[in-house]
Amino acid sequence: MAVRLRSILPHFVLILFSVVFLFPFVWLVMTSLKTPEEILKFPPSILPETFQWSNYKAAFEAIPFTRYMMNTFLICMINIIGQLFAAPLVAYSISRIPWKGRKIIFTIVVATMILPAQVQMIPQYIIFTKLGWVNTIMPLTIGAFFGAPFFIFLLRQFLLGVPMELSEAAKIDGASELRIYLKIVLPILKPALATVALFSFVWSYVDFMGPLIYLNDSVKWTITVGLQSFQQDHGAQWEKLMAASTIMAVPMILIYFFGQKYFMRSGSALTGFK
């Protein structure tokens, strides 16, 4: 009985927390299917009296939803490509190649994570203005091709768990550093790289401040800025706003369900090396 209780209790706690965390999303979806009168009714009800699927059609017609989503996905894909190109290269050089000053460079890279984004906004805006990149996606994507400090740190910690004997054996066989990186290290890094890609997508997808600052033309807006503009232009049409927000949340949910296995593989692969 005690063994069964120890097994049931953790699952009960996890289910309870799952319900707590899922409730806001359930409320979002149910609100998107209500009439304006039902939304403002007190006391509020979770389920709508009649499911108003037309709210989703109205949301698509109120703003150029498809264009905003395409702009968002374009920025996300470019950032993913940039991070997958730069971050593993930097992490590999810091963790696997002995060169003078690499510890200092790594310390500086990690220290940049302490800087608040607000401190960097004005200097970055001045730089991008002088380069003529304002109202383009360049300020939102170019940084990815230099590697994000967090991703460099993550991959470096992962690589520290990979035995150096693999690289040394390859060098004895005449493999160059680039060949070792491409043929040995990158395949081992696949779970960690998937984690980097997932994080990069999420950060780019939900970014609001960057597109708001740099994209002046509404044709180039991302979905986050588009939803904010919708709220300003149409007032408190909550049913349409909730419908648009639900559609926006769908990619994030799919990323979670299809990507959680890579998080698990990344952790198990890291702890599996001796």
Side-chain angles (χ1 to χ4, degrees):
M1 183 65 181
V3 175
R4 183 176 297 180
L5 183 62
R6 285 197 299 268
S7 176
I8 294 176
L9 186 60
H11 287 83
F12 175 77
V13 174
L14 289 175
I15 292 173
L16 183 62
F17 275 102
S18 299
V19 171
V20 172
F21 281 101
L22 279 174
F23 182 76
F25 178 72
V26 173
W27 187 270
L28 172 70
V29 175
M30 292 299 102
T31 304
S32 70
L33 296 170
K34 294 179 180 179
T35 62
E37 292 76 17
E38 287 182 274
I39 294 174
L40 300 176
K41 185 175 68 173
F42 187 84
S45 60
I46 296 179
L47 294 175
E49 296 178 3
T50 304
F51 289 90
Q52 303 292 324
W53 298 104
S54 58
N55 290 341
Y56 286 86
K57 180 181 178 181
F60 267 97
E61 294 174 349
I63 59 174
F65 204 91
T66 304
R67 182 195 303 161
Y68 292 158
M69 290 296 288
M70 292 299 294
N71 294 341
T72 304
F73 282 125
L74 175 62
I75 293 173
C76 290
M77 292 302 105
I78 294 176
N79 283 331
I80 290 174
I81 293 172
Q83 296 293 353
L84 292 181
F85 170 76
L89 278 173
V90 179
Y92 177 80
S93 67
I94 291 176
S95 61
R96 312 285 291 184
I97 303 176
W99 49 277
K100 189 176 181 180
R102 62 174 182 166
K103 292 184 179 180
I104 297 175
I105 296 299
F106 177 69
T107 302
I108 295 173
V109 169
V110 173
T112 59
M113 292 192 292
I114 303 174
L115 289 174
Q118 293 80 0
V119 175
Q120 308 171 45
M121 282 182 183
I122 295 177
Q124 286 180 348
Y125 187 83
I126 293 174
I127 292 172
F128 291 135
T129 300
K130 291 182 180 297
L131 291 173
W133 287 354
V134 174
N135 201 31
T136 70
I137 64 173
M138 291 297 290
L140 306 176
T141 56
I142 192 64
F145 289 88
F146 294 91
F150 174 75
F151 296 146
I152 294 172
F153 172 79
L154 176 69
L155 295 174
R156 185 252 187 187
Q157 297 304 111
F158 187 96
L159 286 171
L160 289 178
V162 179
M164 286 296 297
E165 287 80 1
L166 294 175
S167 299
E168 293 170 357
K171 289 179 181 178
I172 292 175
D173 292 337
S176 64
E177 206 70 61
L178 181 61
R179 186 177 180 84
I180 294 172
Y181 172 74
L182 294 175
K183 298 295 184 179
I184 298 176
V185 174
L186 281 186
I188 294 175
L189 273 178
K190 280 183 180 179
L193 292 177
T195 302
V196 169
L198 292 172
F199 271 112
S200 181
F201 177 86
V202 170
W203 291 353
S204 301
Y205 189 78
V206 301
D207 183 25
F208 172 73
M209 191 60 66
L212 180 67
I213 294 174
Y214 294 110
L215 300 179
N216 302 326
D217 190 351
S218 61
V219 176
K220 302 177 182 179
W221 282 353
T222 60
I223 187 62
T224 52
V225 180
L227 289 180
Q228 176 65 26
S229 174
F230 170 84
Q231 186 176 9
Q232 292 177 349
D233 295 341
H234 296 82
Q237 297 184 19
W238 298 111
E239 70 284 358
K240 296 179 183 177
L241 183 61
M242 295 300 106
S245 299
T246 301
I247 298 172
M248 179 185 173
V250 169
M252 304 293 295
I253 297 171
L254 295 177
I255 283 289
Y256 170 76
F257 280 110
F258 289 103
Q260 60 178 333
K261 61 181 179 180
Y262 294 107
F263 287 103
M264 300 299 296
R265 287 179 185 175
S266 179
S268 62
L270 179 59
T271 56
F273 285 115
K274 301 295 183 183

